[in-house]
Amino acid sequence: MSISENLSRIYQQIEQISRQYQRENVRLLAVSKTKPVQAIEEAIKAGQRAFGENYVQEGVEKITYFAENKAIEWHFIGPLQSNKSRLVAENFDWIQTVDRLKIAERLNEQRPEHLPPLNVLIQINISDEVSKSGIQIEEMLPLAEKISQLPRLRLRGLMAIPKPESEPEQQKIALRKMKELLDRLQQQFEGIDTLSMGMSDDMASAIECGSTMVRIGTAIFGAREYNKQ
């Protein structure tokens, strides 16, 4: 199937699941890491507007390529090293993986004045995995308080990559916990509207549990293609 056909199918799935669980305004983030600009162009022609990149330099190259298209929204969704923060601050519209104050402060300092504030999601290590980025639950409110005071950043909500579970009900434990955390954040801060969770395998469960943004890559663009030497 083509990228356009894949997107059409996923849009329909999101609409059906949202209707089933009475969810509204669930957005699709197309994860375009490692994919060529031609694939992104096809997705844009099919109506997709939000794209997620894991690697700073690759993402900046794509943002530069599509610079004239102001309707495109670029999300950084990978772990961010301090020495790469300026590139994210100067080029991306969103960062979904803020997990320490130092990074938030650097992004705030480096966000150009002529651009709108950088949209920020705090990444929560909801399954408490050593291999995963993200903060512990008890760190959420103190970090959110600090971020909310940084004028060049706009705190929008939370992001998580829950540990894969073989049983859907087991998976939903972490997903529901993330929704509880978002509710808690909304009680204390204005403008909190985004819960980024759910990928190809757990999209339906994530939407059921309150996700407002699902991150889908392979189901749109196909498996990663390796260059043949």
Side-chain angles (χ1 to χ4, degrees):
M1 295 179 73
S2 68
I3 290 173
S4 177
E5 290 170 327
N6 289 339
L7 275 169
S8 179
R9 185 184 74 254
I10 293 168
Y11 290 148
Q12 290 176 2
Q13 290 175 345
I14 290 173
E15 183 179 350
Q16 290 168 357
I17 298 165
S18 298
R19 191 162 53 242
Q20 179 180 353
Y21 296 108
Q22 297 181 316
R23 302 297 182 188
E24 296 182 352
N25 303 320
V26 177
R27 300 182 64 201
L28 171 62
L29 183 69
V31 179
S32 48
K33 65 174 182 179
T34 77
K35 301 303 175 185
V37 294
Q38 291 81 5
I40 297 174
E41 284 179 328
E42 186 175 343
I44 292 171
K45 289 179 182 177
Q48 181 61 24
R49 293 294 178 266
F51 295 89
E53 291 287 330
N54 283 58
Y55 308 113
V56 176
Q57 195 62 50
E58 178 190 346
V60 170
E61 290 173 2
K62 292 174 181 176
I63 292 168
T64 301
Y65 182 88
F66 290 103
E68 292 185 6
N69 191 335
K70 302 303 182 184
I72 306 304
E73 186 178 277
W74 295 96
H75 295 235
F76 185 73
I77 58 173
L80 181 60
Q81 299 171 333
S82 296
N83 63 350
K84 299 285 183 67
S85 62
R86 182 176 294 278
L87 287 171
V88 171
E90 292 179 347
N91 292 277
F92 283 83
D93 303 298
W94 289 67
I95 176 168
Q96 298 201 9
T97 51
V98 170
D99 61 359
R100 55 198 189 279
L101 180 59
K102 177 183 176 182
I103 284 290
E105 290 175 336
R106 287 178 67 90
L107 292 167
N108 178 68
E109 292 167 4
Q110 296 164 344
R111 183 67 170 176
E113 288 290 335
H114 71 276
L115 294 177
L118 180 65
N119 295 291
V120 167
L121 300 183
I122 295 174
Q123 183 174 358
I124 306 290
N125 189 346
I126 193 62
S127 302
D128 199 20
E129 295 179 89
V130 175
S131 61
K132 292 273 179 68
S133 301
I135 62 170
Q136 299 299 306
I137 291 173
E138 61 270 16
E139 299 175 286
M140 179 187 74
L141 289 178
L143 181 57
E145 180 65 39
K146 296 289 188 181
I147 292 174
S148 70
Q149 297 171 10
L150 298 174
R152 303 303 300 147
L153 303 184
R154 182 184 174 199
L155 182 61
R156 298 290 296 271
L158 303 174
M159 177 268 216
I161 309 172
K163 178 182 176 182
E165 300 284 356
S166 56
E167 295 294 329
E169 286 307 312
Q170 191 70 23
Q171 187 79 66
K172 290 176 188 176
I173 293 174
L175 297 170
R176 291 192 181 105
K177 185 63 179 179
M178 284 301 303
K179 179 59 166 64
E180 292 173 7
L181 294 175
L182 186 80
D183 292 343
R184 194 185 307 174
L185 208 60
Q186 287 177 324
Q187 291 171 6
Q188 298 200 29
F189 301 95
E190 295 183 358
I192 305 298
D193 57 8
T194 303
L195 179 55
S196 173
M197 64 181 188
M199 296 184 279
S200 298
D201 292 339
D202 61 349
M203 181 178 78
S205 294
I207 294 173
E208 175 187 350
C209 294
S211 173
T212 68
M213 182 181 293
V214 291
R215 308 182 304 270
I216 309 295
T218 302
I220 297 172
F221 297 107
R224 178 177 178 178
E225 295 179 10
Y226 293 89
N227 292 328
K228 296 179 180 179
Q229 300 297 323

